[in-house]
Each structure stands twice: as C-alpha cells, then as structure tokens.
C-alpha cells in the first residue's frame, strides 16, 4: 500500500535541504526534529505554497497555478488533481488533528495523521493505515512548534522524534491562502464521506479555486474558506451509480447560511463554530462522471459576487 508519509518525506527533504530555493527557513531542533517555516517569520510564496499542498496531500497530487478572472477581475487560481482522492484528501489532507501542547495550538493535517490515526474513524471508513518510520505533519499556526510539541507528535505517531518533520504556515500568509484554497477537492470528498458515501469508489478528482488575497489574521479563516465555498469547481470520476442519491446534498448552496461571506456567518453565530451548519464547508460547483452508466452530473454554481465581497473587491 502507498505510504503517504514516505511520499511526502521526499518532498519535505528537498525543501529542507534547499530552503532558499523555496523562500522558507529550515530548523533542526535539539531533539533532531526538523521544521520548515513557510510563513511564520519568512515570506514564503507560490512555490512554498505548492509544496505545502503537495506534502499535505501525501505526495499523491499535482498542484499548479494559473491566472483567471472573476467578473473580469484578474485572480490567481490553484489547480489540484489526484488519482488517489480518498487517501490523499481524507487520509492525509483533512485537518483532523488538533495539536495542543502547553500553550501551543495548531490545526494539524497531512500524512502524519495516517500514523496517529486522528481521527481513527476516518481511517476505518477508507480502510487505510500508513506504515513508515518517519512522520510528516502540516501545521496551520502563526508560531513554530518547540521540541515538546514535536515529541508529542512523534509519540502519537509512534516514531522517533528525530524522524518527525513539520511544515508550518499561518492562515494569514501567502502559503496559508494557497494551501487552504488547495483543499478544494478535499471539500468535495469530505462532504461525500460525511454523507455516508464510500469515497473509495472515487477514481480521480480535480479541482480549482481562486487563491484569496491575504487580508490579515482576523479575516483569514473566512476569506480562505470562501474561496472554495463560493468559487470552488470540482470534477470527480467514479464507479458508483448510487451517487444520484447524494447529488443534491453536495454543493455549498444547499446549506444554511449560504449567501454571505463566512466571516459574517461566523460573527452571527457568536464566533461559535458549533453553531455553523457544517454542510457549508463544501465546494460551490461539482461535475461527476459516473463510469458504470457513462453518466455526467452537474450540481451547484459559483457565486462570484460573494467571492469578490469576501476578497475585498466588491
């Protein structure tokens, strides 16, 4: 079985060895753990954002950039494709690990989750468990982890701390904007998983979303999520005639609260995540090619007005 940690380690090693090429900083802690700073105290950039996304998806995806337009306004877009949607998106990229040690807090995603089995239910559903002597984690935080944090991660993954690697970027950074927009395919796969669909039947996935501007820490979470909620466009290829039972529940426009920038929805919920309809975290528009019937389905639509409003352009 493919090892998402082994695949991601190859990418991480190159970034760690040549940090100047990626506009990042490489650090080795006293306990041997290695950290790549991709936006905490460095500028980062598109190349760093690409490798962050590739590492996060366990090395099982191709990531590219292009210039597009939203209502005639030029905008950078990220394009992600994978032939292993279930493993790459749910087994690695999903932000399923809250890393908290002492005063340190970060949202953890990436291949290390497949060693720590966080959350375990996800890996039972997709029938995947990695075996690797190294753990590679992606941390969404505005602080770098210390040796104690890396030891906690190593213990959860059952690896030596010297074989533990982390790439870190704040949400409010160039890399943060890129890697969250790079979760466009994941939102579709995640939504189907939450609906009870067997995502192992998805053969390939491809998606695109605009890369949101960096608008500061207070707006970062909302702006980055809006990129996919209101303008993420996804194509999934699968062998699953039963997909017709799920179609209408996939796109974000079927959720409560849809139609406003996420930061407004969050404010109305009293900044309580648990009061927000989780079905909102879905792509705007999805095309599904179901192979057994040769059928093609289309659900949802992009919402350029709310996208531009969120991005500060309308």
């Amino acid at each position: 079985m493919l090892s998402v940690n082994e695949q991601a380690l190859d990418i991480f090693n190159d970034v760690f060895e040549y940090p100047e090429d990626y506009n990042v900083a490489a650090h080795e802690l006293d306990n041997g753990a290695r950290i790549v700073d991709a936006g905490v105290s460095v500028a980062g950039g598109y190349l760093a954002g690409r490798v962050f996304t590739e590492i996060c998806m366990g090395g099982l995806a191709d990531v590219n950039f292009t210039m597009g337009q939203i209502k005639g306004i030029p905008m950078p877009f990220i394009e992600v494709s994978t032939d292993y949607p279930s493993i790459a998106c749910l087994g690695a990229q999903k932000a399923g690990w809250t890393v908290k040690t002492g005063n340190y807090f970060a949202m953890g995603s990436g291949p290390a989750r497949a060693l720590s089995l966080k959350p375990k239910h996800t890996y039972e559903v997709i029938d995947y468990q990695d075996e690797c002597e190294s753990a590679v984690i992606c941390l969404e935080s505005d602080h770098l982890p210390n040796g104690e944090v890396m030891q906690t991660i190593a213990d959860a993954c059952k690896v030596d701390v010297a074989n533990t690697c982390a790439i870190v970027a704040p949400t409010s950074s160039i890399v943060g904007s890129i890697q969250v927009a790079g979760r466009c395919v994941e939102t579709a796969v995640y939504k189907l998983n939450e609906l009870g669909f067997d995502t192992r039947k998805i053969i390939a996935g491809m998606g695109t979303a605009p890369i949101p501007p960096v608008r500061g820490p207070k707006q970062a979470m909302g702006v980055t999520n809006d990129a996919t909620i209101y303008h993420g466009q996804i194509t999934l290829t699968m062998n699953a005639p039963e997909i017709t039972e799920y179609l209408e529940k996939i796109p974000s426009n079927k959720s409560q609260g849809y139609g406003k920038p996420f930061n407004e929805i969050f404010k109305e919920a009293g900044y309580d995540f648990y009061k927000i309809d989780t079905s909102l975290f879905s792509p705007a528009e999805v095309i599904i090619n179901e192979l057994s019937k040769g059928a093609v389905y289309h659900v949802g639509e992009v919402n350029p007005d709310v996208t531009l409003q969120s991005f500060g352009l309308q």
Side-chain angles (χ1 to χ4, degrees):
M1 185 172 287
L2 286 169
S3 169
V4 287
N5 281 278
E6 186 176 335
Q7 297 275 128
L9 185 62
D10 287 341
I11 305 170
F12 181 91
N13 284 340
D14 187 67
V15 179
F16 190 86
E17 187 173 354
Y18 304 103
E20 291 184 357
D21 291 359
Y22 296 89
N23 209 14
V24 301
H27 305 280
E28 183 169 338
L29 305 183
D30 291 341
N31 60 8
R34 294 184 296 158
I35 297 169
V36 167
D37 176 359
V40 176
S41 60
V42 298
Y46 282 92
L47 189 55
R50 188 183 75 189
V51 294
F52 191 112
T53 306
E54 290 173 344
I55 289 170
C56 201
M57 298 186 77
L60 298 178
D62 287 325
V63 178
N64 297 287
F65 303 111
T66 187
M67 281 297 293
Q69 292 187 349
I70 299 179
K71 295 187 74 174
I73 297 176
M75 187 72 59
F77 280 73
I78 189 170
E79 183 179 275
V80 178
S81 60
T82 176
D83 292 333
Y84 304 91
S86 188
I87 297 174
C89 296
L90 300 181
Q93 192 179 25
K94 175 182 173 181
W97 187 351
T98 301
V99 178
K100 188 174 182 182
T101 302
N103 294 324
Y104 186 82
F105 174 85
M107 286 307 299
S109 55
R113 288 182 40 250
L115 297 174
S116 63
L117 299 181
K118 294 185 181 294
K120 186 176 181 180
H121 175 68
T122 296
Y123 295 93
E124 292 174 342
V125 170
I126 67 174
D127 191 26
Y128 179 78
Q129 183 174 343
D130 196 6
E131 292 184 7
C132 187
E133 294 182 355
S134 295
V136 186
I137 192 167
C138 298
L139 298 175
E140 196 171 334
S141 174
D142 54 6
H143 291 85
L144 297 179
N146 58 22
E148 182 184 7
V149 174
M150 296 302 288
Q151 183 65 62
T152 299
I153 293 168
D155 291 344
C157 294
K158 296 180 176 60
V159 300
D160 191 294
V161 68
N163 293 334
T164 307
C165 311
I167 185 166
V168 190
T171 311
S172 182
S173 67
I174 299 174
V175 172
S177 287
I178 292 169
Q179 71 92 4
V180 178
R183 296 173 183 270
C184 50
V185 176
E186 182 214 337
T187 60
V189 179
Y190 171 81
K191 182 64 171 288
L192 283 168
N193 180 69
E194 290 296 295
L195 292 171
F197 177 79
D198 185 355
T199 60
R200 294 173 296 179
K201 295 182 178 182
I202 307 174
I203 298 169
M206 186 171 186
T208 184
I211 298 171
V214 181
R215 304 198 64 200
K218 290 184 178 180
Q219 298 192 62
M221 179 177 64
V223 172
T224 53
N225 278 297
D226 285 339
T228 294
I229 293 172
Y230 292 107
H231 222 281
Q233 296 177 293
I234 318 300
T235 294
L236 301 177
T237 303
M238 61 180 68
N239 261 312
E242 69 273 21
I243 191 62
T244 54
E245 302 170 18
Y246 301 87
L247 290 174
E248 294 304 317
K249 297 178 181 179
I250 301 173
S252 57
N253 63 4
K254 300 300 181 181
S255 63
Q256 296 179 4
Y258 176 88
K260 301 177 182 178
F262 182 82
N263 281 322
E264 288 187 21
I265 298 171
F266 196 32
K267 183 178 181 180
E268 291 173 359
Y271 299 102
D272 184 350
F273 249 122
Y274 295 100
K275 292 182 180 179
I276 297 175
D277 180 8
T278 56
S279 66
L280 184 65
F281 298 100
S282 311
E285 189 170 16
V286 181
I287 294 286
I288 292 177
N289 182 195
E290 200 288 302
L291 301 183
S292 70
K293 292 185 176 180
V296 183
Y297 306 104
H298 175 215
V299 291
E301 61 184 2
V302 297
N303 190 327
D305 291 324
V306 178
T307 305
L308 292 177
Q309 183 183 351
S310 176
F311 288 4
L313 290 166
Q314 185 168 293

